[in-house]
């Protein structure tokens, strides 16, 4: 059930605690939707992302991902799984700009939501979490950039339409065009490359829909 609106600067913090709880409750060996990753790998990624500055280039550029992967393996070796989870739960170090609420929300709200769904939706029988209107509007706003990046190699036009209220957005220009309809958080999950579990409806000519399903969508 949706809860009442929270201050924007607390939204990422709430998602952080929900993600940390999942990591704790389900343990290090639980699978995720990230190919080849267990909860242990994900926890090491989350801590590295916030606390190892030299790993940052690989988070931004696929060609440098090997740098980040080495940092994540080093982080995993240096800490026990419970320590990784509690380090993540405690929040960013003092020098991180994301200690400021509004920056934390901009940088981490979507990231933490998606990774929590990576854990939840790896199990059968999952049900979607409800976001309030403020959270959904934040997802919709984030979709502009996430969609541009996620569908850059789609090979055809992609238009998103939210179903909770009026709203349409071109994510990738081109012809022919397909439409993806769903709640903002589900559209974000699709753009991140979680199309197999995102609850969306894709509309268009059959061949175009198949092209999108086969395209390398994701960040």
């Amino acid at each position: 059930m949706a809860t009442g609106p929270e201050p924007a600067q607390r939204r990422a913090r709430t998602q952080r605690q929900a993600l940390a709880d999942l990591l704790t409750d389900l343990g290090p060996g639980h699978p995720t939707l990230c190919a080849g990753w267990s909860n242990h790998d994900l926890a090491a990624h989350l801590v590295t992302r916030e606390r190892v500055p030299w790993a940052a280039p690989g988070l931004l550029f696929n060609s440098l991902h090997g740098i980040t992967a080495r940092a994540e393996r080093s982080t995993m070796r240096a800490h026990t799984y419970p320590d990784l989870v509690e380090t993540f739960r405690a929040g960013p170090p003092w020098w991180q700009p994301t200690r400021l609420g509004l920056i934390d929300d901009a940088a981490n709200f979507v990231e933490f939501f998606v990774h929590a769904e990576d854990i939840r939706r790896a199990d059968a029988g999952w049900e979607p979490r409800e976001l309030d209107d403020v959270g959904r509007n934040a997802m919709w706003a984030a979709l502009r950039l996430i969609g541009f990046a996620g569908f850059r190699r789609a090979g055809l036009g992609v238009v998103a339409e939210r179903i909770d209220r009026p709203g349409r957005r071109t994510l990738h220009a081109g012809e022919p065009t397909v439409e993806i309809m769903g709640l903002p958080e589900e559209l974000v999950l699709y753009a991140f490359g979680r199309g197999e579990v995102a609850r969306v409806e894709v509309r268009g000519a059959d061949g175009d829909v198949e092209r999108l399903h086969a395209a390398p969508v994701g960040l």
Side-chain angles (χ1 to χ4, degrees), residues 145-170:
L145 180 59
I146 292 169
F148 175 79
F151 292 102
R152 67 193 183 281
R153 296 177 292 171
L156 70 171
V158 180
V159 174
E161 181 172 343
R162 62 189 295 181
I163 61 173
D164 56 322
R165 62 180 58 186
R168 285 174 62 86
R169 174 163 293 158
T170 297

Side-chain angles (χ1 to χ4, degrees), residues 12 49 96-98 100-112:
R49 177 176 175 268
Q96 269 282 10
T98 51
L100 301 175
L102 292 176
I103 298 177
D104 186 27
D105 185 62
N108 289 326
F109 170 53
V110 172
E111 176 87 6
F112 295 164

Side-chain angles (χ1 to χ4, degrees), residues 9-198:
Q9 66 268 24
R10 296 191 59 188
R11 194 163 299 283
R13 188 184 308 169
T14 299
Q15 292 298 325
R16 180 189 296 273
Q17 297 308 313
L19 178 50
D21 287 346
L22 280 170
L23 290 167
T24 297
D25 293 344
L26 298 177
H30 189 276
T32 76
L33 296 180
C34 301
W37 276 13
S38 66
N39 278 2
H40 202 164
D41 298 287
L42 179 55
H45 162 75
L46 293 166
V47 172
T48 300
R49 177 176 175 268
E50 291 190 318
R51 293 177 177 267
V52 184
W54 60 267
L59 296 170
L60 299 173
F61 305 103
N62 287 337
S63 61
L64 300 176
H65 179 68
I67 296 173
T68 302
R70 287 193 294 273
E72 290 166 346
R73 290 193 294 269
S74 178
T75 298
M76 186 183 292
R77 289 193 298 267
H79 304 279
T80 66
Y81 179 74
D83 284 345
L84 287 172
V85 175
E86 292 312 308
T87 298
F88 169 68
R89 187 191 297 276
W94 65 268
W95 47 266
Q96 269 282 10
T98 51
R99 287 189 67 86
L100 301 175
L102 292 176
I103 298 177
D104 186 27
D105 185 62
N108 289 326
F109 170 53
V110 172
E111 176 87 6
F112 295 164
F113 177 88
V114 169
H115 280 317
E117 294 307 299
D118 284 336
I119 297 172
R120 296 181 67 255
R121 300 190 188 201
D123 285 334
W126 60 268
E127 289 295 330
R129 291 183 291 165
E130 288 285 335
L131 291 180
D132 59 30
D133 288 343
V134 178
R136 284 194 170 137
N137 287 337
M139 287 283 182
W140 182 247
L143 184 64
R144 184 182 301 277
L145 180 59
I146 292 169
F148 175 79
F151 292 102
R152 67 193 183 281
R153 296 177 292 171
L156 70 171
V158 180
V159 174
E161 181 172 343
R162 62 189 295 181
I163 61 173
D164 56 322
R165 62 180 58 186
R168 285 174 62 86
R169 174 163 293 158
T170 297
L171 304 180
H172 189 268
E175 293 292 341
T177 298
V178 296
E179 297 180 346
I180 306 175
M181 304 178 66
L183 293 171
E185 60 268 33
E186 300 295 329
L187 296 170
V188 165
L189 284 166
Y190 196 107
F192 257 89
R194 278 61 167 182
E196 291 186 1
V197 298

